[in-house]
Amino acid sequence: MYISGVPPATVTVLLFASYADAFGRPRVEVPLAARATVADLVTQLRDGHAADLPPRPLVAINQEYAAYDRVIEAGDEIALIPPVAGG
Amino acid sequence: MASTLSPALPTVPHPQHPAPNGDGVHSDAGLEDGRDRLPPLSREEVLRYSRHLILPDVGLEGQQRLKAARVLLIGAGGLGSPAALYLAAAGVGALGLVDFDVVDVTNLQRQVLHGTSDVGRPKLESAAKRIADINPHVHVERFETRLTSANALDIVRQFDVIVDGTDNFPTRYLVNDACVLAGRPNVYGSIFRFEGQASVFATPDGPCYRCLFREPPPPGLVPSCAEGGVLGVLPGLVGTIQATEAVKLILGIGETLIGRLLLVDALRMEFRTVTVRRDPACPACGTRELKALVDYEEFCGIRQAAAAASAESTLPEIAPRELAAKLARGDDFDLIDVREPYEYAVARIEGARLVPLATFREVLPTLNHSREIVVHCKSGIRSAHIVRLLQDAGFERVWNLAGGISRWTDDVDPEVPKY
């Protein structure tokens, strides 16, 4: 249970393709501070994975493109989408 | 109601579905040909396309639109194969194909346009032969060349819809920018192992590839199909999605993937779409500061990486034949294979110790500084990293096997399978 507007302690981030490979799993739980933004989340995820995750990866929240100043809310489904080139 | 059930050939246009890019971006293209100028269908074509003709959203006029349409397929590989097969079968009038490759036996696991008897022949030859067999009414236009900044705009401008089935980042950005500059929709698809993406970029209202992926990944970070592997069926899934979108753009029906990125996960069999939008700061389609095609190898850092690699070529190397001689003499040294266990299962050099790349740092403290060490992988790139790591750790007698186990097969032991 959480108070409306206050994000939960952790959020689930879906990882695709090379990002999932870099983290060794298709989803990660990330602890977030209250009012954390997409930029904060990416900074946290890059800690230890800076070589695999670019500074500004494509992020979607609830299946929609998310700007980096977007505040993450409780229950948001976050996805990090890497560029893929194979054909 | 009665009219939609009627088997009579619908000849009425579908005003609820206007043709794409009706704002004139395609003014020089076939999509906007006046209805009275649409090419007639022969008796044989009417029979061939009968399942289209009785579809209310296609009908006779739709089929004529397909016949008038010119679609460019960039790449006749994994994605281009199913796209070409279905677009030809559907009756697209002209299919342009850009590819400069020769059919390799490792292509056959997924590139269904080519057959076993085509190995060693140019892909465009086998593609044209196969398309002519599927539908002799399709006019195939061959561009047996690498798509470059010098030729891309000339080629792209000759077509109405572009299907991107290329296999590397520089060409992805090249195709995108050429489509933006020429005002042609870019039906995008790409694949990686078990996952794929598809969208429609570079339309008047939607985003382009650069809006989503402004910066290319550093070279070598994202493995290609050759390095990372790919499920053979996957390009079938994604390439047919691209063909579907191309047909919808030509017919002006349905809702295309403009403004949406489709993510396909074949392993979980999940399809998700993410809405995406034009980035006003995008240099290609936002600010339009990009006025001409650039050097995409440089943009993607490939040239710089190649220069750095040649500067590092001072790495100590041992040729496969020298290694074979050392093994035959019974020299006292360690041979370390840094590939993955599944690669080791396919092919290995007798006497090698398997230490996969990811576990190497754990094993490093157990290695003896005074011993001679030869490191190998598939082609010599991963092992070069390990040789450098060993040198940094103070090892002085370390060698990289030049060309990896691939060249070992070529030069020493043809019985070791190539993969």
Side-chain angles (χ1 to χ4, degrees), chain B residues 34-54:
Chain B
R35 212 160 287 127
D36 50 329
R37 284 166 53 215
L38 284 174
L41 299 186
S42 68
R43 195 182 291 263
E44 197 276 328
E45 287 173 298
V46 169
L47 190 58
R48 172 183 285 265
Y49 303 126
S50 68
R51 299 301 186 274
H52 267 168
L53 301 184
I54 59 176

Side-chain angles (χ1 to χ4, degrees), chain B residues 372-390:
Chain B
E372 223 182 315
I373 297 176
V374 175
V375 190
H376 90 83
C377 63
K378 184 184 178 187
S379 64
I381 297 188
R382 283 172 287 177
S383 52
H385 286 287
I386 294 299
V387 167
R388 242 168 268 133
L389 193 116
L390 286 165

